[in-house]
Amino acid sequence: QVQLVESGGGLVKPGGSLRLSCAASGFTFSDYYMSWIRQAPGKGLEWLSYISSSGGTIYYADSVKGRFTISRDNAKNSLYLQMNSLRAEDTAVYYCARVGSGTWRYYFDYWGQGTLVTVSS
Amino acid sequence: QSALTQPASVSGSPGQSITISCTGTSSDVGSYNLVSWYQQHPGKAPKLMIYEVSKRPSGVSNRFSGSKSGNTASLTISGLQAEDEADYYCCSYAGSSTFVLFGGGTKLTVL
């Protein structure tokens, strides 16, 4: 079955960096687009970034553009999010999500359990 | 761009039907049949319930249905059950610059 397991979250000071990882299994990772989505405590979902199956097409939300970098290693079945210049408002649970297949790849059909990032001094 | 607009809360009794609205603009919901809906129980990851306005993934109950009219999409849950109590989020493609927008979420209470 499809499994997505995030790791790398934790406590970091404002201005610091963190790298999140998402290990995928149960499907052919290299066939699927992937995304990162976050949820601040008690708040709604916020889409952050999207990467095509080859890594050649990438999109970012304005809130993280220039600070966060999405990447993937298809040989390792892994997705990454490098987060730099972290701010208090980046505190959230970060989810890795598989993008649905088909002509229109704009929905998320499987989600990981999330990893908590806390930005605080 | 702003998030899509959902009611903060809705409620219904077991067996009843409820509808959750998701209002966007002509730049997102109104322009594309690319609305999806997610169910999230407390402390859990979101689960896809509806995609491309009205398509149901395998394994999702047919009590869940989706529709769209103009700039507003809707999720209807019929035959409400206790386990339907959760937060629900809509999501829409919003063009190549904004890409994807989520709604603020709706808390469904089963009375």
Side-chain angles (χ1 to χ4, degrees), chain A residues 101 103-105 107, chain B residues 33-36 50-55:
Chain A
S101 59
T103 304
W104 307 107
R105 297 188 174 101
Y107 62 97
Chain B
N33 290 324
L34 297 172
V35 176
S36 51
I50 295 287
Y51 67 102
E52 292 173 11
V53 175
S54 60
K55 297 179 180 178

Side-chain angles (χ1 to χ4, degrees), chain B residues 12-87:
Chain B
S13 299
Q16 286 186 332
S17 294
I18 62 95
T19 296
I20 299 172
S21 61
C22 170
T23 302
T25 70
S26 57
S27 298
D28 39 68
V29 175
S31 285
Y32 309 98
N33 290 324
L34 297 172
V35 176
S36 51
W37 289 89
Y38 303 86
Q39 175 192 65
Q40 186 180 34
H41 287 107
K44 300 294 187 183
K47 175 187 175 184
L48 176 67
M49 304 304 285
I50 295 287
Y51 67 102
E52 292 173 11
V53 175
S54 60
K55 297 179 180 178
R56 234 181 357 260
S58 173
V60 171
S61 171
N62 60 8
R63 297 186 298 105
F64 292 82
S65 61
S67 62
K68 191 188 89 167
S69 177
N71 296 338
T72 299
S74 299
L75 173 72
T76 297
I77 309 173
S78 59
L80 266 182
Q81 298 180 0
E83 58 260 37
D84 299 333
E85 186 164 291
D87 293 326

Side-chain angles (χ1 to χ4, degrees), chain A residues 39 45 47 50 95 104 108 112, chain B residues 34 38 40 45-46 89 99 102:
Chain A
Q39 186 171 34
L45 300 170
W47 170 79
Y50 173 105
Y95 293 104
W104 307 107
F108 311 102
Chain B
L34 297 172
Y38 303 86
Q40 186 180 34
Y89 294 90
F99 201 69
F102 278 97

